[in-house]
mmCIF file of all heavy atoms in Angstrom:
data_model
loop_
_atom_site.group_PDB
_atom_site.id
_atom_site.type_symbol
_atom_site.label_atom_id
_atom_site.label_comp_id
_atom_site.label_asym_id
_atom_site.label_seq_id
_atom_site.Cartn_x
_atom_site.Cartn_y
_atom_site.Cartn_z
ATOM 1 N N HIS A 58 -70.818 30.955 0.338
ATOM 2 C CA HIS A 58 -71.011 32.088 1.265
ATOM 3 C C HIS A 58 -70.634 31.705 2.711
ATOM 4 O O HIS A 58 -70.734 32.598 3.569
ATOM 5 C CB HIS A 58 -72.467 32.519 1.248
ATOM 6 C CG HIS A 58 -72.950 32.952 -0.114
ATOM 7 N ND1 HIS A 58 -72.273 33.832 -0.918
ATOM 8 C CD2 HIS A 58 -74.102 32.606 -0.815
ATOM 9 C CE1 HIS A 58 -72.933 34.009 -2.027
ATOM 10 N NE2 HIS A 58 -74.014 33.279 -2.029
ATOM 11 N N ALA A 59 -70.175 30.518 2.922
ATOM 12 C CA ALA A 59 -69.961 30.090 4.318
ATOM 13 C C ALA A 59 -68.924 30.912 5.054
ATOM 14 O O ALA A 59 -69.113 31.265 6.212
ATOM 15 C CB ALA A 59 -69.554 28.600 4.296
ATOM 16 N N ASP A 60 -67.824 31.220 4.394
ATOM 17 C CA ASP A 60 -66.784 32.060 5.081
ATOM 18 C C ASP A 60 -67.346 33.392 5.539
ATOM 19 O O ASP A 60 -67.083 33.829 6.656
ATOM 20 C CB ASP A 60 -65.602 32.295 4.138
ATOM 21 C CG ASP A 60 -64.660 31.108 4.003
ATOM 22 O OD1 ASP A 60 -64.704 30.222 4.836
ATOM 23 O OD2 ASP A 60 -63.888 31.099 3.048
ATOM 24 N N SER A 61 -68.101 34.036 4.675
ATOM 25 C CA SER A 61 -68.640 35.339 5.005
ATOM 26 C C SER A 61 -69.666 35.275 6.104
ATOM 27 O O SER A 61 -69.695 36.113 7.009
ATOM 28 C CB SER A 61 -69.253 35.996 3.738
ATOM 29 O OG SER A 61 -68.277 36.190 2.756
ATOM 30 N N VAL A 62 -70.511 34.242 6.056
ATOM 31 C CA VAL A 62 -71.519 34.064 7.124
ATOM 32 C C VAL A 62 -70.814 33.796 8.460
ATOM 33 O O VAL A 62 -71.166 34.402 9.484
ATOM 34 C CB VAL A 62 -72.499 32.928 6.767
ATOM 35 C CG1 VAL A 62 -73.362 32.509 7.954
ATOM 36 C CG2 VAL A 62 -73.342 33.277 5.594
ATOM 37 N N ARG A 63 -69.854 32.947 8.461
ATOM 38 C CA ARG A 63 -69.120 32.635 9.683
ATOM 39 C C ARG A 63 -68.388 33.839 10.237
ATOM 40 O O ARG A 63 -68.354 34.062 11.458
ATOM 41 C CB ARG A 63 -68.185 31.466 9.473
ATOM 42 C CG ARG A 63 -68.885 30.134 9.267
ATOM 43 C CD ARG A 63 -67.993 29.008 8.851
ATOM 44 N NE ARG A 63 -68.736 27.743 8.771
ATOM 45 C CZ ARG A 63 -68.583 26.795 7.896
ATOM 46 N NH1 ARG A 63 -67.666 26.955 6.927
ATOM 47 N NH2 ARG A 63 -69.324 25.706 7.898
ATOM 48 N N ALA A 64 -67.814 34.643 9.346
ATOM 49 C CA ALA A 64 -67.145 35.875 9.790
ATOM 50 C C ALA A 64 -68.147 36.818 10.467
ATOM 51 O O ALA A 64 -67.847 37.391 11.523
ATOM 52 C CB ALA A 64 -66.498 36.561 8.627
ATOM 53 N N LEU A 65 -69.293 36.959 9.867
ATOM 54 C CA LEU A 65 -70.299 37.844 10.466
ATOM 55 C C LEU A 65 -70.754 37.353 11.808
ATOM 56 O O LEU A 65 -70.976 38.169 12.757
ATOM 57 C CB LEU A 65 -71.517 37.931 9.522
ATOM 58 C CG LEU A 65 -71.350 38.777 8.272
ATOM 59 C CD1 LEU A 65 -72.589 38.651 7.373
ATOM 60 C CD2 LEU A 65 -71.105 40.218 8.596
ATOM 61 N N LEU A 66 -70.885 36.047 11.965
ATOM 62 C CA LEU A 66 -71.264 35.502 13.275
ATOM 63 C C LEU A 66 -70.184 35.806 14.332
ATOM 64 O O LEU A 66 -70.502 36.186 15.471
ATOM 65 C CB LEU A 66 -71.476 33.977 13.179
ATOM 66 C CG LEU A 66 -72.764 33.543 12.455
ATOM 67 C CD1 LEU A 66 -72.755 32.026 12.217
ATOM 68 C CD2 LEU A 66 -73.985 33.926 13.287
ATOM 69 N N LEU A 67 -68.943 35.600 13.984
ATOM 70 C CA LEU A 67 -67.869 35.867 14.931
ATOM 71 C C LEU A 67 -67.829 37.368 15.339
ATOM 72 O O LEU A 67 -67.655 37.678 16.518
ATOM 73 C CB LEU A 67 -66.500 35.509 14.297
ATOM 74 C CG LEU A 67 -66.226 34.025 14.138
ATOM 75 C CD1 LEU A 67 -64.990 33.834 13.226
ATOM 76 C CD2 LEU A 67 -65.976 33.354 15.489
ATOM 77 N N ILE A 68 -68.051 38.228 14.382
ATOM 78 C CA ILE A 68 -68.046 39.657 14.665
ATOM 79 C C ILE A 68 -69.252 40.051 15.496
ATOM 80 O O ILE A 68 -69.118 40.806 16.472
ATOM 81 C CB ILE A 68 -67.982 40.439 13.349
ATOM 82 C CG1 ILE A 68 -66.663 40.179 12.613
ATOM 83 C CG2 ILE A 68 -68.172 41.939 13.595
ATOM 84 C CD1 ILE A 68 -66.654 40.598 11.160
ATOM 85 N N GLU A 69 -70.425 39.572 15.132
ATOM 86 C CA GLU A 69 -71.644 39.927 15.829
ATOM 87 C C GLU A 69 -71.582 39.433 17.269
ATOM 88 O O GLU A 69 -72.074 40.099 18.205
ATOM 89 C CB GLU A 69 -72.837 39.357 15.120
ATOM 90 C CG GLU A 69 -74.203 39.910 15.545
ATOM 91 C CD GLU A 69 -74.383 41.392 15.221
ATOM 92 O OE1 GLU A 69 -73.822 41.826 14.188
ATOM 93 O OE2 GLU A 69 -75.115 42.079 15.955
ATOM 94 N N ALA A 70 -71.000 38.240 17.482
ATOM 95 C CA ALA A 70 -70.888 37.672 18.815
ATOM 96 C C ALA A 70 -69.782 38.320 19.621
ATOM 97 O O ALA A 70 -69.653 38.034 20.837
ATOM 98 C CB ALA A 70 -70.702 36.176 18.727
ATOM 99 N N ARG A 71 -68.967 39.139 18.978
ATOM 100 C CA ARG A 71 -67.774 39.702 19.624
ATOM 101 C C ARG A 71 -66.977 38.585 20.246
ATOM 102 O O ARG A 71 -66.590 38.600 21.444
ATOM 103 C CB ARG A 71 -68.133 40.765 20.635
ATOM 104 C CG ARG A 71 -68.837 41.975 20.022
ATOM 105 C CD ARG A 71 -68.703 43.223 20.895
ATOM 106 N NE ARG A 71 -69.465 43.162 22.115
ATOM 107 C CZ ARG A 71 -70.742 43.558 22.242
ATOM 108 N NH1 ARG A 71 -71.411 43.997 21.221
ATOM 109 N NH2 ARG A 71 -71.338 43.471 23.406
ATOM 110 N N ALA A 72 -66.722 37.569 19.423
ATOM 111 C CA ALA A 72 -66.082 36.324 19.924
ATOM 112 C C ALA A 72 -64.728 36.616 20.537
ATOM 113 O O ALA A 72 -63.886 37.333 19.963
ATOM 114 C CB ALA A 72 -65.927 35.331 18.770
ATOM 115 N N GLY A 73 -64.508 36.079 21.705
ATOM 116 C CA GLY A 73 -63.250 36.210 22.392
ATOM 117 C C GLY A 73 -62.321 35.036 22.106
ATOM 118 O O GLY A 73 -62.668 34.134 21.321
ATOM 119 N N LEU A 74 -61.185 35.022 22.747
ATOM 120 C CA LEU A 74 -60.197 34.012 22.490
ATOM 121 C C LEU A 74 -60.699 32.587 22.766
ATOM 122 O O LEU A 74 -60.423 31.658 22.027
ATOM 123 C CB LEU A 74 -58.931 34.255 23.340
ATOM 124 C CG LEU A 74 -57.800 33.289 23.147
ATOM 125 C CD1 LEU A 74 -57.267 33.316 21.715
ATOM 126 C CD2 LEU A 74 -56.656 33.576 24.107
ATOM 127 N N THR A 75 -61.456 32.430 23.856
ATOM 128 C CA THR A 75 -61.972 31.116 24.200
ATOM 129 C C THR A 75 -62.852 30.600 23.097
ATOM 130 O O THR A 75 -62.743 29.411 22.683
ATOM 131 C CB THR A 75 -62.766 31.157 25.503
ATOM 132 O OG1 THR A 75 -61.894 31.567 26.562
ATOM 133 C CG2 THR A 75 -63.347 29.781 25.853
ATOM 134 N N ALA A 76 -63.744 31.426 22.575
ATOM 135 C CA ALA A 76 -64.672 30.979 21.530
ATOM 136 C C ALA A 76 -63.959 30.695 20.193
ATOM 137 O O ALA A 76 -64.199 29.673 19.585
ATOM 138 C CB ALA A 76 -65.743 32.032 21.313
ATOM 139 N N VAL A 77 -63.067 31.579 19.792
ATOM 140 C CA VAL A 77 -62.419 31.349 18.512
ATOM 141 C C VAL A 77 -61.505 30.103 18.609
ATOM 142 O O VAL A 77 -61.356 29.364 17.622
ATOM 143 C CB VAL A 77 -61.624 32.588 18.013
ATOM 144 C CG1 VAL A 77 -62.553 33.769 17.749
ATOM 145 C CG2 VAL A 77 -60.493 32.965 18.929
ATOM 146 N N THR A 78 -60.855 29.907 19.754
ATOM 147 C CA THR A 78 -60.034 28.733 19.895
ATOM 148 C C THR A 78 -60.862 27.452 19.865
ATOM 149 O O THR A 78 -60.496 26.467 19.221
ATOM 150 C CB THR A 78 -59.248 28.786 21.224
ATOM 151 O OG1 THR A 78 -58.413 29.964 21.244
ATOM 152 C CG2 THR A 78 -58.370 27.574 21.395
ATOM 153 N N ARG A 79 -62.004 27.476 20.523
ATOM 154 C CA ARG A 79 -62.894 26.329 20.509
ATOM 155 C C ARG A 79 -63.372 26.005 19.101
ATOM 156 O O ARG A 79 -63.358 24.854 18.647
ATOM 157 C CB ARG A 79 -64.093 26.622 21.453
ATOM 158 C CG ARG A 79 -65.089 25.494 21.570
ATOM 159 C CD ARG A 79 -65.997 25.722 22.732
ATOM 160 N NE ARG A 79 -66.735 26.951 22.636
ATOM 161 C CZ ARG A 79 -66.823 27.889 23.637
ATOM 162 N NH1 ARG A 79 -66.189 27.650 24.764
ATOM 163 N NH2 ARG A 79 -67.549 28.961 23.498
ATOM 164 N N LEU A 80 -63.789 27.072 18.384
ATOM 165 C CA LEU A 80 -64.298 26.837 17.031
ATOM 166 C C LEU A 80 -63.189 26.360 16.118
ATOM 167 O O LEU A 80 -63.428 25.533 15.210
ATOM 168 C CB LEU A 80 -64.909 28.147 16.496
ATOM 169 C CG LEU A 80 -66.230 28.546 17.154
ATOM 170 C CD1 LEU A 80 -66.617 29.962 16.753
ATOM 171 C CD2 LEU A 80 -67.331 27.556 16.780
ATOM 172 N N TYR A 81 -61.998 26.879 16.282
ATOM 173 C CA TYR A 81 -60.878 26.438 15.451
ATOM 174 C C TYR A 81 -60.516 24.991 15.744
ATOM 175 O O TYR A 81 -60.389 24.175 14.845
ATOM 176 C CB TYR A 81 -59.657 27.353 15.711
ATOM 177 C CG TYR A 81 -58.452 26.977 14.887
ATOM 178 C CD1 TYR A 81 -58.278 27.521 13.608
ATOM 179 C CD2 TYR A 81 -57.489 26.076 15.333
ATOM 180 C CE1 TYR A 81 -57.186 27.176 12.836
ATOM 181 C CE2 TYR A 81 -56.415 25.727 14.565
ATOM 182 C CZ TYR A 81 -56.254 26.291 13.340
ATOM 183 O OH TYR A 81 -55.160 25.942 12.555
ATOM 184 N N GLU A 82 -60.351 24.640 17.027
ATOM 185 C CA GLU A 82 -59.906 23.306 17.395
ATOM 186 C C GLU A 82 -60.911 22.234 17.071
ATOM 187 O O GLU A 82 -60.554 21.115 16.737
ATOM 188 C CB GLU A 82 -59.511 23.315 18.855
ATOM 189 C CG GLU A 82 -58.272 24.128 19.193
ATOM 190 C CD GLU A 82 -57.890 24.089 20.648
ATOM 191 O OE1 GLU A 82 -58.744 23.670 21.493
ATOM 192 O OE2 GLU A 82 -56.766 24.494 20.974
ATOM 193 N N GLN A 83 -62.205 22.584 17.197
ATOM 194 C CA GLN A 83 -63.226 21.602 17.000
ATOM 195 C C GLN A 83 -63.770 21.603 15.528
ATOM 196 O O GLN A 83 -64.533 20.722 15.151
ATOM 197 C CB GLN A 83 -64.433 21.836 17.946
ATOM 198 C CG GLN A 83 -64.037 21.683 19.391
ATOM 199 C CD GLN A 83 -65.184 21.992 20.350
ATOM 200 O OE1 GLN A 83 -66.282 22.298 19.921
ATOM 201 N NE2 GLN A 83 -64.920 21.886 21.637
ATOM 202 N N GLY A 84 -63.331 22.564 14.757
ATOM 203 C CA GLY A 84 -63.934 22.788 13.431
ATOM 204 C C GLY A 84 -63.293 21.976 12.316
ATOM 205 O O GLY A 84 -62.174 21.405 12.438
ATOM 206 N N THR A 85 -63.986 21.920 11.193
ATOM 207 C CA THR A 85 -63.439 21.370 9.963
ATOM 208 C C THR A 85 -62.426 22.340 9.390
ATOM 209 O O THR A 85 -62.252 23.430 9.876
ATOM 210 C CB THR A 85 -64.539 21.141 8.938
ATOM 211 O OG1 THR A 85 -65.077 22.420 8.602
ATOM 212 C CG2 THR A 85 -65.652 20.256 9.477
ATOM 213 N N ALA A 86 -61.714 21.926 8.319
ATOM 214 C CA ALA A 86 -60.783 22.820 7.675
ATOM 215 C C ALA A 86 -61.469 24.091 7.231
ATOM 216 O O ALA A 86 -60.906 25.208 7.342
ATOM 217 C CB ALA A 86 -60.080 22.106 6.532
ATOM 218 N N ALA A 87 -62.667 23.984 6.684
ATOM 219 C CA ALA A 87 -63.405 25.160 6.230
ATOM 220 C C ALA A 87 -63.735 26.113 7.376
ATOM 221 O O ALA A 87 -63.647 27.305 7.246
ATOM 222 C CB ALA A 87 -64.693 24.759 5.488
ATOM 223 N N GLU A 88 -64.092 25.531 8.506
ATOM 224 C CA GLU A 88 -64.412 26.340 9.673
ATOM 225 C C GLU A 88 -63.162 26.993 10.264
ATOM 226 O O GLU A 88 -63.228 28.145 10.675
ATOM 227 C CB GLU A 88 -65.122 25.475 10.739
ATOM 228 C CG GLU A 88 -66.550 25.040 10.313
ATOM 229 C CD GLU A 88 -67.059 23.852 11.102
ATOM 230 O OE1 GLU A 88 -66.690 23.723 12.287
ATOM 231 O OE2 GLU A 88 -67.778 23.036 10.529
ATOM 232 N N ARG A 89 -62.090 26.257 10.236
ATOM 233 C CA ARG A 89 -60.816 26.862 10.708
ATOM 234 C C ARG A 89 -60.405 28.003 9.814
ATOM 235 O O ARG A 89 -59.907 29.024 10.297
ATOM 236 C CB ARG A 89 -59.731 25.764 10.726
ATOM 237 C CG ARG A 89 -59.946 24.736 11.797
ATOM 238 C CD ARG A 89 -58.830 23.722 11.832
ATOM 239 N NE ARG A 89 -58.984 22.805 12.944
ATOM 240 C CZ ARG A 89 -58.004 22.113 13.495
ATOM 241 N NH1 ARG A 89 -56.791 22.163 13.017
ATOM 242 N NH2 ARG A 89 -58.258 21.321 14.541
ATOM 243 N N ARG A 90 -60.565 27.821 8.514
ATOM 244 C CA ARG A 90 -60.216 28.913 7.591
ATOM 245 C C ARG A 90 -61.027 30.167 7.913
ATOM 246 O O ARG A 90 -60.502 31.275 7.914
ATOM 247 C CB ARG A 90 -60.449 28.472 6.144
ATOM 248 C CG ARG A 90 -60.042 29.537 5.107
ATOM 249 C CD ARG A 90 -60.393 29.137 3.724
ATOM 250 N NE ARG A 90 -61.799 28.967 3.516
ATOM 251 C CZ ARG A 90 -62.362 27.842 3.045
ATOM 252 N NH1 ARG A 90 -61.634 26.810 2.713
ATOM 253 N NH2 ARG A 90 -63.681 27.776 2.887
ATOM 254 N N ALA A 91 -62.310 29.989 8.146
ATOM 255 C CA ALA A 91 -63.178 31.161 8.439
ATOM 256 C C ALA A 91 -62.686 31.882 9.706
ATOM 257 O O ALA A 91 -62.696 33.113 9.756
ATOM 258 C CB ALA A 91 -64.628 30.716 8.615
ATOM 259 N N VAL A 92 -62.302 31.111 10.714
ATOM 260 C CA VAL A 92 -61.757 31.725 11.944
ATOM 261 C C VAL A 92 -60.525 32.586 11.595
ATOM 262 O O VAL A 92 -60.420 33.723 11.990
ATOM 263 C CB VAL A 92 -61.451 30.645 12.984
ATOM 264 C CG1 VAL A 92 -60.626 31.265 14.133
ATOM 265 C CG2 VAL A 92 -62.682 30.014 13.525
ATOM 266 N N LEU A 93 -59.599 31.966 10.857
ATOM 267 C CA LEU A 93 -58.338 32.662 10.526
ATOM 268 C C LEU A 93 -58.623 33.928 9.716
ATOM 269 O O LEU A 93 -57.976 34.960 9.946
ATOM 270 C CB LEU A 93 -57.420 31.722 9.736
ATOM 271 C CG LEU A 93 -56.883 30.512 10.508
ATOM 272 C CD1 LEU A 93 -56.276 29.508 9.555
ATOM 273 C CD2 LEU A 93 -55.888 30.912 11.571
ATOM 274 N N LEU A 94 -59.566 33.865 8.820
ATOM 275 C CA LEU A 94 -59.878 35.013 7.952
ATOM 276 C C LEU A 94 -60.482 36.174 8.733
ATOM 277 O O LEU A 94 -60.440 37.304 8.267
ATOM 278 C CB LEU A 94 -60.812 34.598 6.839
ATOM 279 C CG LEU A 94 -60.253 33.680 5.747
ATOM 280 C CD1 LEU A 94 -61.377 33.193 4.807
ATOM 281 C CD2 LEU A 94 -59.177 34.408 4.947
ATOM 282 N N THR A 95 -61.057 35.875 9.894
ATOM 283 C CA THR A 95 -61.765 36.915 10.678
ATOM 284 C C THR A 95 -60.966 37.451 11.832
ATOM 285 O O THR A 95 -61.330 38.460 12.428
ATOM 286 C CB THR A 95 -63.103 36.297 11.162
ATOM 287 O OG1 THR A 95 -63.748 35.565 10.141
ATOM 288 C CG2 THR A 95 -64.080 37.377 11.605
ATOM 289 N N LEU A 96 -59.857 36.845 12.219
ATOM 290 C CA LEU A 96 -59.153 37.227 13.414
ATOM 291 C C LEU A 96 -58.833 38.712 13.483
ATOM 292 O O LEU A 96 -58.919 39.333 14.553
ATOM 293 C CB LEU A 96 -57.839 36.423 13.544
ATOM 294 C CG LEU A 96 -58.001 34.926 13.874
ATOM 295 C CD1 LEU A 96 -56.662 34.263 13.888
ATOM 296 C CD2 LEU A 96 -58.735 34.721 15.193
ATOM 297 N N HIS A 97 -58.440 39.320 12.357
ATOM 298 C CA HIS A 97 -58.067 40.725 12.369
ATOM 299 C C HIS A 97 -59.264 41.663 12.596
ATOM 300 O O HIS A 97 -59.051 42.863 12.868
ATOM 301 C CB HIS A 97 -57.361 41.077 11.059
ATOM 302 C CG HIS A 97 -58.248 41.082 9.857
ATOM 303 N ND1 HIS A 97 -58.782 39.934 9.340
ATOM 304 C CD2 HIS A 97 -58.713 42.119 9.070
ATOM 305 C CE1 HIS A 97 -59.521 40.261 8.272
ATOM 306 N NE2 HIS A 97 -59.509 41.536 8.116
#
Side-chain angles (χ1 to χ4, degrees):
H58 301 312
D60 282 343
S61 297
V62 170
R63 288 172 175 142
L65 287 174
L66 286 171
L67 289 167
I68 294 165
E69 193 68 29
R71 297 202 291 272
L74 180 62
T75 299
V77 296
T78 301
R79 181 165 60 228
L80 290 169
Y81 180 89
E82 292 180 345
Q83 297 178 0
T85 63
E88 291 161 33
R89 290 182 173 202
R90 181 184 64 233
V92 169
L93 294 167
L94 290 173
T95 316
L96 290 177
H97 69 291

